[in-house]
Amino acid sequence: MIAVLGLLVGILLGLFFQPDVPLGLEPYLPIAVVAALDAVFGGLRAYLDGIFDDKVFVVSFLSNVVIAAAIVYLGDQLGVGGQLSTGVIVVLGIRIFSNVAAIRRHLFHA
């Protein structure tokens, strides 16, 4: 319940203050969002499976975002940022869809 309340407060603060993303960080924001979504869906799957651990979730959330952004940053430094961004999105997308499929199977007992 407290997580949902925190989410709602965060959304309301974001809508009220409308923060700007610095130009240097804009290429990394979509990657960070997809990495965060991967952690969220993984956490939901773990919760439904009865193995959710809040410490594991926080570490997974932060490490997914940092590692995905670091991979894209490294790609930018090497001149292949677009290719590595695509690779990160594909890998995280596959994980997200796998977790959503497991959640769907769990909810509908299929």
Side-chain angles (χ1 to χ4, degrees):
M1 180 62 179
I2 198 161
V4 173
L5 182 62
L7 178 64
L8 291 174
V9 169
I11 289 171
L12 291 174
L13 287 174
L15 290 173
F16 180 73
F17 288 112
Q18 297 181 354
D20 291 326
V21 177
L23 289 176
L25 297 179
E26 279 185 3
Y28 309 106
L29 184 61
I31 302 298
V33 169
V34 172
L37 285 173
D38 173 49
V40 168
F41 284 114
L44 181 58
R45 177 184 183 181
Y47 176 77
L48 292 173
D49 289 342
I51 57 171
F52 180 79
D53 183 6
D54 55 345
K55 293 175 187 167
V56 172
F57 173 73
V58 170
V59 169
S60 172
F61 187 90
L62 294 175
S63 64
N64 274 8
V65 170
V66 170
I67 290 171
I71 290 171
V72 174
Y73 175 77
L74 178 64
D76 285 344
Q77 298 304 308
L78 295 173
V80 293
Q83 290 87 347
L84 281 180
S85 293
T86 302
V88 168
I89 292 293
V90 167
V91 168
L92 292 175
I94 290 169
R95 288 173 41 116
I96 288 170
F97 282 110
S98 296
N99 284 328
V100 169
I103 291 166
R104 184 183 61 242
R105 283 191 302 271
H106 185 74
L107 292 176
F108 297 111
H109 308 288

